[in-house]
Amino acid sequence: MNRPKNIGTAFESGLVRYLRGKTGDMRIRRLALAGTNDQGDIGPVYAHGCRGMLECKSHKKVTPALIEKWKGETLRERGNADADFAALVIHVSGRDGTGKHPSFGQNRVLMTLEDLMKLCVGITWQTGTEEARRWREACGGQWVETTVDGFVWFIHGVGDGE
């Protein structure tokens, strides 16, 4: 396995370790690659009756263009997984990438505002309802950012949160 692949695998394994430790949910695991039908890197993650997946990225240099590409990948894989929500987790240079140190919790997490609303209040939308249409329109495809610790707070109500 090449060095970048090893770094990515270590980051994914670290995220599983960190989330299991913070939430106690041993169902969280690394997912197998599935080519064009990939369903994310980590899952399932449960929160307030919703099932989600996580896409992980650990790059030496993170650019806005890469983040936009990764957002599209995250949404595509959320669809492949038929998940209720998805999050993009990005390793921040200088922060732990192994899940063994508290600084791991300061890595970045991005998700759509719609998905964040599902986590905050357990909102689930039935396809085709007027309420669903209004919420999706209000969210407008916007993305929001927190940390891994903030994400843990949203899904489990523990940790520092942000």
Side-chain angles (χ1 to χ4, degrees), residues 14-29:
L15 183 57
V16 168
R17 180 181 301 111
Y18 195 82
L19 292 176
R20 283 179 172 181
K22 291 288 187 176
T23 67
D25 189 345
M26 302 310 283
R27 297 172 292 184
I28 299 170
R29 61 182 168 74

Side-chain angles (χ1 to χ4, degrees), residues 20-129:
R20 283 179 172 181
K22 291 288 187 176
T23 67
D25 189 345
M26 302 310 283
R27 297 172 292 184
I28 299 170
R29 61 182 168 74
R30 289 185 62 226
L31 300 173
L33 294 173
T36 58
N37 295 320
D38 201 7
Q39 298 182 8
D41 297 318
I42 308 290
V45 177
Y46 293 98
H48 312 293
C50 297
R51 183 182 54 81
M53 53 70 63
L54 308 177
E55 181 65 19
C56 300
K57 298 296 178 184
S58 183
H59 269 246
K60 193 171 193 172
K61 184 172 180 169
V62 176
T63 65
L66 271 178
I67 291 173
E68 288 305 311
K69 177 183 169 191
W70 296 338
K71 286 177 180 178
E73 187 178 327
T74 301
L75 295 177
R76 189 170 42 261
E77 293 180 10
R78 176 185 67 186
N80 290 346
D82 195 27
D84 299 311
F85 68 90
L88 170 60
V89 184
I90 302 172
H91 181 234
V92 176
S93 181
R95 301 289 186 232
D96 177 50
T98 66
K100 296 177 182 176
H101 187 273
S103 73
F104 190 92
Q106 295 304 305
N107 285 299
R108 298 171 70 183
V109 175
L110 289 87
M111 61 180 31
T112 66
L113 179 57
E114 180 180 344
D115 283 357
L116 178 63
M117 293 299 295
K118 291 175 188 176
L119 297 182
C120 287
V121 292
I123 294 173
T124 55
W125 290 290
Q126 294 181 0
T127 307
T129 67

Side-chain angles (χ1 to χ4, degrees), residues 48 152-159:
H48 312 293
V152 167
W153 188 84
F154 289 127
I155 65 168
H156 195 65
V158 297

